[in-house]
Amino acid sequence: MTGDGSFERDRTYITTRITADGRDGFPVEAGRYRLVIARACPWANRSAIVRRLMGLEDVLSLGIAGPLHDERSWCFHLDPGGRDPVLGIETLREAYDRREPGYPSGITVPAIVDVPTGRVVTNDFERITLDLGSEWAAHQRDGAPDLYPEGWRDEIDDVADKVYRDVNDGVYQCGFAAGQQAYDKAYQRLWARLDWLEERLAGRRYLVGDTLTEADVRLFPTLVRFDAVYHGHFKCNRQKLTELPALWAYARDLFQTPGFGDTIDFAQIKAHYYVVHHDINPTGVVPRGPDTSGWLSPHGREQLGGRPFGDGTPPPPPPPAERVPRLGRAG
C-alpha cells in the first residue's frame, strides 16, 4: 500500500526465460517443464489460454493449484493426497524455495517449473505468454495463430499497457484500496478505460487488427471475472459487464472461441476471491450467482468480420483431464 491507501502491486518476478537457443540456461524441451496455474487467477489464465491456442498440451504439462491458499503459498489441495502428481509437492512455495531458499517475494502463478530439478524457472506472466507464442514455435500445432504479429506490435503493446494499468490491475486497485480517495481514483480510471474499450469494440471485432492477438488474451481474463467477483467483491459496481453491449458481446465471442472459455471454472474463481480475501469478505460466504448460462448465448459479432485465428485454425478440444465444468444456471 502507498501512503494514501492505494494498492501497489509487487512487480518483482523471476525473469529467466525458456528460449529456443537456451541462452538463459533453459532451452525449450518437450516434457521438461511444467506450467503451474490456478483456474482462479486471471494472470495465470493468460498462459493457460496461450498454451491451448498454441497446442502445447503434449509438450508442456499443466499443474493446477487449487483456489484456496493462505498467505504463504498456492497449494495443490485438489490433487490426490494434496500433492502435485508430477512435482510431488504440496505447495508451490517448495518449487520457489528450490530456486532460491527462503524466496522473499510473492509466490505467484503462473510459474514454469523445471521438472528434473523441481525449481521455478520463471513467473514473469507477461513474458511467459509471449515466449509460448514464439520461442516454442518448433512444438506448436499446425494452424497455431500468431498472437503478436510484427506489424501490429506497437499497437498491441499500447493497448495492452492501457488494459493492464487501468483494467487488469485497476480492479485490484479498487478492491484493495484502503481509503476512499484511493478507491475513487481507481474507480474513475477503471470506468474511463472500460468506456474507451466499449467505444473501441463497438465497430471492430478484436482489439487490434482483425484477428486475435495478445491484447485480447490480456483483457479477457478480467472481463470473464467481472460480474462474478469484481462488480461486487471489488466494488467495481457502476455497471455489470452484461450491461455494456459491446464489451459483453465481445467477451461472449471470446468465451465461445476454443481456447478461451474452456479454461474458465467459475466455481474456483468465486471460491478463491470470496474465501481467501478475509479482509474484504470476513464471513467467507460465496455467492450463488450470477447465472453463467448467458455466456453461451449468441453474440452476433461475426457481422463485424475478422478472422479469429488469422490464417490458422481453432485448437482441438482440451485433454479430458483438463476439461472444466459445463456452464449452468446459478442457484
Side-chain angles (χ1 to χ4, degrees), residues 170-188:
V171 294
Y172 284 86
Q173 292 171 18
C174 289
F176 291 137
Q180 189 68 50
Q181 185 177 11
Y183 165 77
D184 288 346
K185 288 181 179 178
Y187 181 93
Q188 290 164 7

Side-chain angles (χ1 to χ4, degrees), residues 38-50 110 125 129 163 167-169 171-172 207 213-230 234 241 250-251 254-255 259-261 263-266 269 273 295:
R39 294 287 188 200
C41 176
W43 316 103
N45 198 172
R46 301 176 177 193
S47 58
I49 291 169
V50 175
F125 66 91
T129 54
V163 166
V167 181
N168 297 148
D169 200 44
V171 294
Y172 284 86
L207 282 173
T213 68
E214 180 79 16
D216 301 294
V217 171
R218 296 188 182 194
L219 177 57
F220 174 76
T222 300
L223 295 184
V224 80
R225 289 162 174 76
F226 199 88
D227 286 5
V229 289
Y230 301 143
F234 276 179
L241 178 66
Y250 164 82
L254 293 188
F255 189 92
F260 285 82
T263 67
I264 300 301
D265 187 319
F266 283 107
I269 289 170
Y273 284 91
W295 283 97

Side-chain angles (χ1 to χ4, degrees), residues 115-324:
V115 175
T117 64
R119 299 173 181 173
V120 170
V121 176
T122 182
N123 64 342
D124 187 349
F125 66 91
E126 291 183 350
R127 192 70 247 174
I128 285 173
T129 54
L130 293 173
D131 284 347
L132 291 179
S134 58
E135 299 295 331
W136 291 73
H139 297 284
Q140 292 171 4
R141 66 180 177 88
D142 292 338
D146 182 0
L147 298 176
Y148 198 51
E150 189 168 353
W152 291 100
R153 288 182 183 178
D154 287 346
E155 187 172 353
I156 291 170
D157 290 345
D158 178 63
V159 171
D161 180 67
K162 290 181 170 71
V163 166
Y164 169 79
R165 184 183 63 247
D166 300 329
V167 181
N168 297 148
D169 200 44
V171 294
Y172 284 86
Q173 292 171 18
C174 289
F176 291 137
Q180 189 68 50
Q181 185 177 11
Y183 165 77
D184 288 346
K185 288 181 179 178
Y187 181 93
Q188 290 164 7
R189 287 195 304 270
L190 168 67
W191 282 102
R193 186 60 62 201
L194 288 174
D195 287 341
W196 178 80
L197 289 165
E198 176 75 6
E199 182 178 357
R200 183 180 182 90
L201 289 165
R204 58 193 304 164
R205 191 169 181 185
Y206 302 109
L207 282 173
V208 180
D210 66 349
T211 65
L212 291 165
T213 68
E214 180 79 16
D216 301 294
V217 171
R218 296 188 182 194
L219 177 57
F220 174 76
T222 300
L223 295 184
V224 80
R225 289 162 174 76
F226 199 88
D227 286 5
V229 289
Y230 301 143
H231 177 270
H233 185 59
F234 276 179
K235 307 179 186 71
C236 302
N237 59 354
R238 193 192 79 180
Q239 290 166 279
K240 296 177 181 177
L241 178 66
T242 55
E243 297 167 345
L244 301 168
L247 275 167
W248 173 224
Y250 164 82
R252 298 198 319 276
D253 187 3
L254 293 188
F255 189 92
Q256 295 169 34
T257 299
F260 285 82
D262 53 33
T263 67
I264 300 301
D265 187 319
F266 283 107
Q268 291 196 34
I269 289 170
K270 291 194 298 182
H272 170 69
Y273 284 91
Y274 285 102
V275 175
V276 170
H277 297 160
H278 301 291
D279 51 341
I280 298 176
N281 187 42
T283 65
V285 172
V286 179
R288 301 292 295 179
D291 179 8
T292 58
S293 61
W295 283 97
L296 299 179
S297 63
H299 53 75
R301 299 280 291 180
E302 301 93 339
Q303 64 184 359
L304 295 174
R307 302 171 301 146
F309 301 98
D311 295 329
T313 57
E322 297 180 13
R323 292 177 185 169
V324 297

